[in-house]
Amino acid sequence: MSAEIQQVERRVSPKNDAIENICKALDKWYWAGKNGISRDVAIKPVRDVVEYVCEAKKKGLDKKSEVAYCGSILLYSVLSLTGRRVSSDVKEANELFKAGKDFASSIWDEIEVKGTDKRKCQEIADSISSRIFDVCRSN
Amino acid sequence: MINKLRITILITLLFLIPIENVNAHVVSEKEWLNDPHDHGDAKIIYLKAYQFGYAVKAIQEDGEKRIFPDGKEPSIMEVEKGGKVVFRIISADVTHGFYIDGYTPDAVKDNKILIKPGEIIEVGPIFFDDPGKFKLRCSETCGPLHPFMVADLIVKPNTYFPVLLIITVVVSAMTLLYVSRAPKNKMLGIPLDRDIDLLKVRFIGPILKKFLQWRGVHFALIVPNLLIFMVVLTSGFFGNPTGNMNFSIVIIWILWLAAVEILILLGARTWCTLCPIPAFGEWLARRRFYGVHKIRKWTSIGKKWPNKLNNMWIPALFFLTMSLFVPWLVTRPVVTGIVFGFLFILALIIYLVFDPKRNFCRNICPANGYIGYHSNASILAVRSRNINTCNQHTPKECIRGSPKGYGCPWKLYPGGHKENTYCGQCYECLKSCPLDNMTLKLRMVGQDLARIGAKAKNRFDEAYTGFIRFTVAIFYELVFFGPYFWIKDWGNMGIIYGANLATIGLLSPTLEALNYWFKWALMVAGIALIGYPGLFYIFSWISKKLSGVNDIPTKQLFLSFSYALAPYGIFLWIAFAFSLLLVNWSYPISAISDPLGYGWNLFGTKFEWQPFSPEALPYIQTPLLLLGLAIAINATYNIAEQIFNNHRQAFRATFVMGVLHTMAGLVFAWVIAG
Ligand code: SF4
Ligand SMILES: [Cu+2]
């Protein structure tokens, strides 16, 4: 495991508010009533966010606007995984957005990527999201 | 030299007098004026066609001949109903044509009347049995101002004119009577708080929604227009220098201009959905033709757009400047080419330098200003379905963007839209909103005007956009399709030829040309910037006095009431658009087959100029005028009611402003029928 990934994973603990919230939000709006789904599918929204943060950092984008965008990424990821184009519940849109945003914000500074290696971000995303899945499940 | 120029300008200022244009010598003039034929009881009109007008040199009636050595000014001919007229015509310069609206018999239509230099042409006797005002038009391309070579023929009694004046007054009186009964939030009886969610209409709604939410929609609509504009630029620079034989002129200044005016009323800023001018910048900045970029990185320096430019001043003044050169712009392809080429390049540069949003569109484009201003009078609007949902929705993807759509490129908060001014209808919010809360609404003209008008503070930019557009609409109708050749000559700088940039005279104008242009510019700018706004201010002051509101400054009323010109102006522009379309519709269709004016006929759509019932024009324009007037009065009332919150005061103010609107209506009635 690379140094960067280790560094981030240190923050991935149930005590971290952002992680706790994303677990709750996903549980409420996505996992609830979906017992049969695979680990990969279940954690895809988180994976999408981590990958975006990683790519955005690689491109040197601005943290403030991009972590907010990650909120939308989480929401849209859940929407598409639940076979919807749009949500009909403002609460859902708000909560998933906030969870994604806070989560992205909490990992933003931890992720350090350099170079143009395409697979790097995917690796980081895989690793972090599966850790988070474990953390969520352990609750 | 400079001194001479100064003196000329000074003298010009002092004596704004018409200039005699007709001076070319024709060999057969004597022969022409001494008609050897006996035409019985027919009236004989001796017409001299020249670039660009018809000079009435003599009229012979009951054996008596009145001579006008300098040509009759304005060029208006009169005939009694039932009278017979023979037109005896020569040309002073090049080959011209002859056409009378509604009176050119079919046989002649197919075989058009040509007036060649050195020949005497006799047309008639024509039996005038239908009273009214008719236009004489040149039917043979004779130079840049050919499409505006128009004279008036009045078959007396022209009862339609006084009737129209009376109808105009009656309509405004009825509207005033209507608002005197304190209709709350209504426009001519139709409630303004109701609208139709177009995306929920049966059958068409879902299809429209699918279409607008499809990411490729914008691209698909822009590309054909981009191709057309590329042909426009090519023909502007390399095509036939005669305007009406050139794709750029006839597509832009007949088809596009007219279509946009009509589109504004029916579709608000739908043109901006289709417009290719900012496309290069947008595509480049996004690095995408239509998809949403996955990582939000833009190709742009991303400087902040200066706040000072965040208004409609540049568009308004840009539009006015174009109006000052309009006789050039609409008749010399190269000028059109330069202007549009410039807009394309400027849009691209602004995209690359500033934050990659629609800064060019919002704050530079001359069309944006008026399209946006009048869009508030449109029946179409992009709005949220439920404003409460938006209020509760904190992420607001419509502003910041989502994986499905960009954040509003027009720098607005779409969910909270209450006016159309700056909504470019790119439909990104329909895609980016995760709650499906954005839609397209159909509503009555003037839904937002009361609110916009009442809150207008220091929006002189928007007020002036209204004044410029309103006055120019009436002015264009009068100048381009009227019998006052001296005004046309002023605007045209008295220059007949002009094949390319070097010879059109714009780069090296003569003193005389400058003199002419100066008068034109002074007149247009004077009316638009001082004359009419001044009158408007005076009426606003009277309305304040008469309604007895002392705590609201006249300036506020002036600004607020000016928004009534949004609907009024657009209706008059549509009326003008009909003059363009009915008379000149054949040019754009012909130009498709011969875009460069080289004499090709690529698709077989080329045919002779053929107006479509131009004699019906006044009757088509009348309802547009009356509707515009009534809506303007009702809108004024709604604005006043919103400001004063008192029916009596609002009504009194409306009455005063209604008088001004009626006066403007009467002027327009005179232009189209008098
Ligand atoms: S339009 Fe949609 S994204 Fe914008 S505030 Fe309203 S609900 Fe939110
Ligand atoms: Cu002519």
Side-chain angles (χ1 to χ4, degrees), chain B residues 218-343:
Chain B
H218 212 171
F219 182 76
L221 291 172
I222 283 175
V223 165
N225 280 304
L226 183 62
L227 293 177
I228 293 171
F229 270 65
M230 289 302 122
V231 180
V232 163
L233 289 180
T234 313
S235 62
F237 287 109
F238 305 109
N240 192 317
T242 301
N244 56 297
M245 295 167 87
N246 188 302
F247 189 84
S248 69
I249 295 290
V250 300
I251 292 295
I252 297 289
W253 303 121
I254 298 171
L255 202 61
W256 177 80
L257 187 112
V260 166
E261 303 299 349
I262 297 167
L263 256 188
I264 292 173
L265 180 67
L266 303 180
R269 300 190 70 141
T270 295
W271 168 253
C272 300
T273 314
L274 314 172
C275 179
I277 293 175
F280 291 122
E282 196 159 82
W283 293 340
L284 201 67
R286 292 175 174 176
R287 309 172 185 195
R288 292 284 185 287
F289 282 120
Y290 47 82
V292 183
H293 49 200
K294 224 174 148 247
I295 303 299
R296 304 200 307 161
K297 174 118 179 137
W298 312 82
T299 309
S300 170
I301 299 174
K303 268 177 118 94
K304 199 181 165 293
W305 183 250
N307 248 339
K308 266 204 188 122
L309 297 183
N310 233 335
N311 52 53
M312 224 179 245
W313 276 121
I314 293 182
L317 297 178
F318 202 156
F319 179 80
L320 183 69
T321 311
M322 282 168 67
S323 306
L324 300 185
F325 287 98
V326 87
W328 290 83
L329 191 61
V330 305
T331 58
R332 273 74 166 187
V334 65
V335 182
T336 294
I338 291 172
V339 168
F340 277 86
F342 173 71
L343 293 178

Side-chain angles (χ1 to χ4, degrees), chain B residues 50 52 54 95-97 138 140-142 146 149:
Chain B
Y50 66 96
F52 300 93
Y54 290 102
T95 302
H96 292 278
C138 179
E140 175 71 8
T141 301
C142 57
H146 154 71
M149 190 168 154

